[in-house]
């Protein structure tokens, strides 16, 4: 069934109900939507309620940026909690702590906009509208922190509706409906897909792609992961992405590389799917290819370049002195190649040259050491600064390998000087790694990196516990 | 996919996580489950959390009645809201009404068992466990009103998870998987199904059956409705239920009779599906059979007999005098047939005889009048006393016809002296009827019943507005 | 799609075409159908052709037995080959052997009824009609051998249309649509299914059922097999068929027992599916249950009792003297129990008693030896007399074990004195066994039966090669 | 199931059987395949037979052109009918016309390659191999008419296996699996599809695309049709094909234009699907869009230009004098524009100019008249010369309209000077038109074209009946 019965039914109800609605005729869209929201909150007629919900959903989608901000501020104030009512209810509960007074206090404290959102969710496409609305809120939030409560309410409701038990895992390949593949092309943001031929290569026999779907957003992936089946752990992205690379026999692969994970719905940020997706995909892969014994990612290190540049200026999450000390072993070659005495300045200078990988021999080791420092030391607000590291480590992966000059694309050079890393999921150790990371923030490393960490700590002793 | 990936995945996680759980070894099951619930609420490790959730879910399913009651009381108290914390948070909010103090108060007021239930919902089969748990709570509630808060929390969460946008409407016929049909046989409670042959007749060409399903309860109907396609409005149940009745050509039918609506999940009481089901089924039927112009139910009147007996004793929702006055036109024939001077006593006496329908001519009119009075006058707590009437009238149906001796089964004789009624859905009037009923409790009647109502009001003038 | 587009389309065409048909009005149905067949063969208009084909198909289904026989004889003569035309075409080909004269001869020799059947096959439900028609032909053939050519034509065409590449293998369980399960109940003829509860047991976790389906006969199994997953090779049917037997864990089974194979379409006799079905089911089972290492049948020996009775009378496929000599080791105990000196007479007398299994100790060995002789020696027209043995041996199975008193049902007692046998499929040896059987009719035996065969051959030396 | 069980099963059998095959080691591929064909024809072992069939299928696919021709000639001779055996069987039948002698003659006359093809058809992918093989035969046939018998055998078998009752009609849209859409892009030959964006436009809301599929060629369309839903009958192709054309509301369309019909499997030429496809698509469209009242094609006239050029040279299917007479009304304007006195020469000269449509006013009428003459008069071997006209007229369409300069693409200019025509399907008249065309070759015309035909016949009276 291509349109859900529910949408068809509501369309019918709303069409009949429209005439009965006394729709507001104000020419100011914010005022009009605001009035409709009030009417929706107080409606008892079901058809008129649904028609209003559909009207509100459509109006929300149609607002321009300024009007939408205005409306969100209205929602924040007009449909927020009533302080006086809360305090009265708290007093009543204090005086007589019965079930009635408790429930009255509960009701008082729930902002009316939660009920408003619930009612919008019953309109045709209402879930989609709320996901879009939250995306707007998230974009506005840095400059409009007052929208925090609206965001909190939306996140609370979406988290309940997008319960992982309601998701479907689906394999995506070249037999998948084309309209869905088109969305994969559009949503891929880690390694952009250049078109249908590029996509085709990513879906051939030695590749796998899986996504999560939710019944209320049919034909809309929530998140998807792209996997390559190879013989060894890759140290660079280009061979994985080459549309003309020969297709290998997946049955002979020992390694599965998760080389791209994409959250598709910005409005669902904070509703966590990636962990479930990776683990489920691992179990699908192991069932299909019993030979697989290495499950790794090829992941970006998005904050590395910024942290190194700020270290050069004496600050940032790494601070200025530690990083310089780390490069003690490499001062001379860096100086010779660049003419700069300060190793950080030398490194940055060489990396700004047109083909920095020409200095690969000189730069690779310093870059790896700085990356290891960044991924283990750089913390913000007590947690690791790097969001990709946080994600995989919290999922129970370990840091397996650091690959200098693994991705020479402009974007990756700007983000991390081309450095990529491999996180590895060892099925039997995932839970243990997860708990170590959750309990004390410990970054589990593969053996070679543990050796490297010891050298690092000689050069730059940890002044403080790993987790502030 | 017969088992959802989520269940398979969680089984895997839980199996691995079990060893790490320090499961409580108490021999008192309530103490053990309670400890596990506490551990679950505070767990951070994902696998151990899931394993605990599964453990708790299984333990909850395995408890005996006494232990379950004990546990529910524990949940009520130990996982209820913390009064002192609420009052402290309210004070902080009163002193400084910031977002932080507001959110702190919100958190304080949410009983920890809500989070507990959410975590149980992530376990394999967790949704099912919570639906079962609520069924137990509902059964216990009359004697244990203190469980009201637990019930309120469960209803709140289930209502969110069973959002109508997540339901699938499915037609059920003899091509439906047999394991599901077996459940239809078991869940049918309006007109019991005697076995596969009986079921088969109810699924033939002149019948329709539709149900709602939810992704978290696969192969488990939430509610289903049985429809017969006929030529006229039926006045009795037996012809509809006769397994050897000839199969009519549905394309010639003018009437669709909703003769059985069954809610299958007692634990979802209060989460409303029936309204959506009926309306969607109406639109499916009209699409398939454009000739249909009468959409009626054949419905029981479950509280009628009890109300009449209590009226005979001078009380109940009808009171004692009104009903007697209604029978003014029939005193003499009733007296002659029974020897009783009091018409209510006469009526009851005749109805207790082995074949009361033998007195059909004498009894039919009085029964119809009493039924009309019951369905329009008998109210409890300000709303109609009869639950079936409340359901259909709130959905926008009107009361179409009253059928004496329509169902002579023992159960129906005990409930309503065999009376059944037809509610009718007139597509264009549903919304209007719904709103009249919701606004002032008005029972919309078909024209012949409106005449009958006028006579009734002459005999027994309404002392008060229809709705208290 | 429940009705194929083709059927809907043809219905439309035929409905429009009917008016244009000059349908024959003869009151003699055979004459009418005959005329319609002639019209169909010569029709050029597509719609009128299809309408005629549908008419003919319906008429064929509606004929009574006498009329159908009469019609088939008509088909045989009137739509048979034209001898004079064939001989003329043969002369032309002899004179000038060109492609044209060859094709003319080919056309002359194809009986017009083949084209007639092809055209009927395009009518709605035409394939089904022809399968039914062939079933009638097969039933009539013994008394009406003149219908042989009609049968040959139908078999030729059906064999082409029921190519195994067009079949779907489907697992049948309690999630299968109920209307299909109802057919399984009806078609099961090896061990009758007593109703839905009996069926349910046969579809539980320790059982498997698979069938073949064809696109032109939707919802109609062609053949199905029932499998039990056990720990050891069964020697009796009753435990497998007991509806209240406990359900075992299939993951622990070492043995898969094919205990019932049913061809559902009598009209497809001679179009072979069973071999493909068994082998495909074996590969499905081995994929699901890697522990399985014994794949056996529990099979009837349908001609055994008849052969033994005829041997007692001195004839039949075993002849009279050999069987008597085989019982040489058992004369005395048989005589003591029965009072009969002739061992065959004694055996038969004991087997006619109410509970012959009471004499199990005396009867088992003689029965097993006679069965082995029957399955290796009894031949008709040069091939094994027993059809079940022919089927499994030609498929590459070996005879594994003989089970006396394995099935005490009335039917099996009458067929084979209750004897059943196990054939075993050893995946690696199937091809070799198949070729030995095909090449020289050799019956491959399990080791214990090979020993028993040597003793048998001492008592009754083979006078002639195994295959005449 | 993505690979049919049958293919998986046969792969297994063939893998086991291979070792037992004594595969021919000849280095001459034709000799090797020939030997394998002989072995396949005489094989009795099932697994070895299947392995051989698979070997033969693979070898056939791998042969180069020269070797394939050589092999086909071998098939023609070595696996052709045995003349002596046929004549002997004919003699036996002449002497004693029994069922046995008849069947012996039937067997003798069937070329062994038919059985060979049947056995190849059981191999994995065998059907596909035979469809490919026939495509090769068809390509070779013009220069190698001796392959006619092989072609006849393949057509006979494929016609039986591709019975319309076994086809599935499927709607193709942007939800269709991408691998199938890729084939649509490749197979479209009427109006080439430029890529995914072009395809996307052809599958939007105001377009429909349907295809036929067969179980033995999964994911492989046999034929598909593209339909545009418009308001009026189109007179040019470009607006239909413009990828950036706005999407219209299909619910308001009155006209469905079949603007492209593509047979995808050259090897199935002569197995007719197009007729069934068009009629079924018409019934799907009328069910979805009840407003549609014009069902037309926009069709090429592939032989027009060639016939006019040959007429200019005095020959071809139109002959030289008639066409000149038809242009009597237009001699002067043509002469003025071109300087040529002979109207046909003038026409051709103008049409060779870079933008012939600049002379549209002068050329349109003459082109339309010539087209009408070509479509009604030009016959070859007694049937209409134009294959597209034959197809639609035999299906029951009528010629509705002639559109000069409707398609200015290079290809269409070369084929028909850019002329396209509309055939129209009037549901109630299809059968009647079909029968008139089949009975006496009559081309049914729309009213305006009937008038034009009368003028045409004045200028160029028909010397002979429409059909020779």
């Amino acid at each position: 069934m291509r349109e859900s019965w529910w949408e068809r039914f509501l369309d019918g109800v709303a069409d009949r109900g429209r005439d009965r609605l006394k729709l507001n005729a104000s020419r100011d869209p914010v005022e009009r939507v605001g009035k409709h929201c009030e009417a929706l909150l107080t409606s008892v007629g079901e058809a008129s309620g649904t028609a209003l919900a559909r009207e509100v959903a459509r109006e929300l989608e149609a607002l321009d940026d300024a009007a939408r901000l205005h409306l969100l501020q209205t929602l924040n104030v007009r449909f927020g909690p009533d302080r006086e009512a809360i305090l009265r209810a708290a007093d009543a509960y204090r005086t007589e702590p019965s079930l009635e007074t408790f429930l009255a206090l509960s009701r008082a404290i729930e902002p009316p906009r939660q009920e408003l959102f619930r009612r919008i969710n019953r309109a045709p496409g209402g879930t989609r509208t709320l996901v879009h609305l939250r995306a707007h809120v998230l974009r506005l939030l840095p400059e409009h922190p007052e929208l925090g409560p609206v965001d909190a309410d939306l996140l609370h409701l979406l988290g309940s509706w997008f319960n992982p038990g309601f998701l479907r895992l689906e394999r995506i390949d070249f037999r998948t409906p084309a309209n869905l593949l088109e969305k994969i092309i559009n949503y891929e943001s880690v390694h952009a897909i250049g078109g249908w031929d590029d996509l085709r290569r990513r879906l051939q026999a030695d590749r796998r792609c899986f996504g999560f779907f939710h019944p209320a957003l049919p034909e809309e992936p929530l998140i998807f992961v792209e996997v390559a089946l190879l013989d060894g752990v890759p140290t660079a992205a280009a061979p994985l992405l080459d549309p003309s690379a020969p297709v290998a026999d997946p049955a002979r692969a020992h390694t599965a590389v998760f080389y791209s994970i994409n959250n598709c719905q910005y409005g669902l940020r904070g509703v966590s799917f990636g962990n479930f997706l990776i683990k489920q995909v691992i179990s699908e892969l192991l069932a299909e290819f019993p030979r697989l014994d290495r499950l790794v990612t090829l992941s970006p290190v998005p904050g590395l370049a910024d942290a190194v540049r700020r270290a050069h200026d004496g600050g940032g999450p790494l601070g200025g002195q530690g990083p310089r000390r780390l490069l003690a072993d490499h001062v001379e070659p860096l100086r010779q190649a660049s003419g700069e005495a300060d190793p950080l300045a030398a490194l940055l200078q060489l990396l700004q040259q047109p083909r920095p990988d020409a200095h690969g021999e000189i730069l690779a080791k310093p870059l790896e050491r700085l990356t290891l420092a960044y991924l283990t030391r750089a913390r913000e607000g007590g947690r690791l600064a790097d969001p990709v590291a946080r994600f995989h480590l919290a999922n129970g992966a370990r840091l397996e390998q650091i690959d200098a000059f693994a991705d020479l694309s402009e974007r990756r050079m700007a983000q991390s000087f081309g450095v990529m890393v491999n996180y590895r999921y060892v099925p039997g150790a995932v839970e243990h790694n997860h708990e170590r990371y959750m309990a004390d923030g410990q970054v589990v490393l593969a053996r070679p990196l543990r050796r490297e960490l010891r050298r690092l700590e000689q050069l730059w002793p940890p002044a403080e516990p790993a987790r502030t």
Side-chain angles (χ1 to χ4, degrees), chain A residues 122 200 204 222 225 292 323 347 357:
Chain A
R122 300 193 153 206
R200 201 181 200 302
Q204 270 172 334
L222 305 182
V225 61
L292 286 179
L347 186 96
D357 52 326

Side-chain angles (χ1 to χ4, degrees), chain A residues 81-95 101 104-110:
Chain A
D82 176 342
R83 184 165 178 263
E84 292 314 310
I86 292 171
L87 294 178
R88 273 197 309 275
D91 287 340
Y93 177 61
R94 188 186 307 268
T95 313
T101 56
L105 177 55
S106 294
R107 276 192 300 274
I109 211 157
E110 192 191 89

Side-chain angles (χ1 to χ4, degrees), chain A residues 184-431:
Chain A
I184 297 293
I185 294 179
N186 294 335
Y187 284 134
E188 163 64 89
S189 62
V190 180
H191 299 293
I193 298 181
W196 286 88
D197 288 335
D198 190 354
L199 174 69
R200 201 181 200 302
R201 178 64 191 88
R202 298 200 194 182
L203 300 175
Q204 270 172 334
D206 57 350
R207 303 298 171 90
R208 287 294 178 275
C209 180
F210 291 92
F212 270 151
F213 295 81
H214 185 275
L217 293 184
E219 307 189 337
E220 190 66 63
L222 305 182
I223 185 175
F224 65 90
V225 61
E226 296 165 66
V227 184
L229 300 162
L230 303 177
D231 234 7
V233 176
T235 59
L240 293 179
L241 302 175
D242 178 3
S244 59
V247 178
D249 177 358
R252 300 185 169 202
H254 286 88
T255 307
V257 187
F258 292 69
Y259 67 94
S260 183
I261 303 173
N262 294 274
N263 280 291
C264 308
Q265 309 297 331
Y266 184 53
L268 292 175
R269 203 177 68 176
V271 183
S272 159
F273 309 122
N275 179 10
F276 304 127
L277 179 64
I278 287 177
K279 285 175 189 162
Q280 182 54 12
V281 169
I282 287 175
S283 74
E284 297 283 332
L285 291 172
L286 292 175
E288 189 177 357
F289 302 108
R291 277 198 191 195
L292 286 179
D293 52 17
R294 274 187 304 261
L295 303 145
V296 300
T297 72
L298 180 63
S299 301
V301 194
L304 176 64
D306 188 57
V308 172
R309 284 194 199 97
R310 289 168 70 192
H312 172 257
D313 299 339
L318 285 170
Q321 289 321 302
R324 282 191 169 82
R325 269 187 267 156
L326 290 185
L327 300 186
D329 302 342
H330 305 281
V331 172
E332 192 50 25
L334 285 168
R335 194 192 55 75
Q336 284 185 3
S338 69
E340 296 269 4
D342 173 22
L344 273 183
L347 186 96
L348 288 171
Q349 199 245 50
L350 292 172
L351 283 166
Q352 268 158 11
Q353 297 183 4
R355 288 296 314 263
D357 52 326
H359 303 285
E361 266 182 65
I362 296 168
L363 293 172
K365 281 282 160 196
L367 276 175
E368 288 174 24
R369 186 164 290 164
L370 284 170
T371 306
L372 181 60
Y374 171 68
L375 291 178
T376 53
R377 295 284 179 90
R379 290 174 189 263
E380 281 169 343
R383 56 182 203 169
L384 286 185
D386 191 80
V388 178
R390 281 203 305 270
F391 174 73
H392 289 296
L393 296 168
N395 289 348
R398 74 182 186 206
L399 181 60
E400 186 72 9
Q401 189 172 288
I402 296 170
D403 309 307
F405 301 114
D407 185 343
L408 303 178
S409 69
E410 195 174 339
R411 180 169 166 217
R412 215 69 70 204
M413 288 305 296
Q415 267 187 351
S416 63
F417 310 124
V419 172
M420 310 270 297
V421 300
N422 308 111
Y423 298 98
R424 178 166 175 184
Y425 287 82
V426 179
V430 156
E431 189 60 21

